[in-house]
Amino acid sequence: MNELDELFSTPSIQREQSFDKEAWVHQKQEQRQWTYDTIDTTTMTIVQNGEQFQRYLDVQSRFDRYSVSNALLILAQRPEATRIADFEGWKEQGVSIRRKETGFYILEPGEEYRREDGSTATSYNPKKMFDIAQTTAKKPDQPVYPDDRTRIKALMDRAPVPITISDALPANVHALYQPDVRNIVIRRGLAAGDIFRALAQELAHAEMDRGDSRYSRSEYQFHAYSVAYILCKQAGVETTAFRFDRVAERFKDMEPQPIRAELTTMKEASHTISRRMHRILNPQRQPSQPGRTDPTR
């Protein structure tokens, strides 16, 4: 073997000899555990006060196709993110990651495996992502929102229950979903912003009501209020009146997993309504990415 052969072959041999599969597996396990721990920690953080919870809703509103767990991971690592992809995803778009930029992790589904009880589950693996601000891509333009009439029309599009206008609602009620007859009534004469905010909240109730006679408005009031906030953020409707000061009381003494189950109920309702609105508004949505499903834990 000549010197040139040695120059190219020796590093390869050294790499093969230095690779420790057991250490690599251990590192991956630690990385996965870090994401799970971060999800749990962030879950408990956002229910401590209204400001933290609102920051979570802001992230979920921008990444409405992502699972609650991945929204929490984004919040914990890159809360200002607006559009994300992995290294290869950006490369396929002709975009490079800026030097010295550090990625952040979400979870993507891996292989299925069989549990000890015989049931099947899916493993989840950390996936490194980068926000558009960390790349050479052109900074996205500020979103241009439609007029009030179009927004309300989009919100009402293919609603799951009939929507009517009435003068008979109580003075402090702008709109009302009635589970017993499954319809929504809106007060006549409201300003456009009030119509959108009130209707979004009542549509959330209609989405979460599965037709069960036991559906309780009071039980899902916080969920519906949060959904309305997400929809307003997505449509560019004023949100300064929203307050989440009672979030700590609402989730008092709850563990992370049950909290995420409730957050998922909100996320699914908002995403369902948002998808219908998308037909008319056609906003710039976050591209579909791996890892949108909550880890099975």
Side-chain angles (χ1 to χ4, degrees), residues 167-183:
D167 297 314
L169 289 175
N172 62 338
V173 177
H174 287 172
L176 181 66
Y177 169 65
Q178 303 176 105
D180 53 341
V181 293
R182 288 189 61 80
N183 75 342

Side-chain angles (χ1 to χ4, degrees), residues 215-234:
Y215 182 80
S216 168
R217 280 185 56 88
S218 60
E219 181 179 347
Y220 288 94
Q221 189 66 23
F222 185 82
H223 299 67
Y225 188 73
S226 300
V227 170
Y229 177 84
I230 290 175
L231 295 173
C232 286
K233 292 293 289 187
Q234 292 174 339

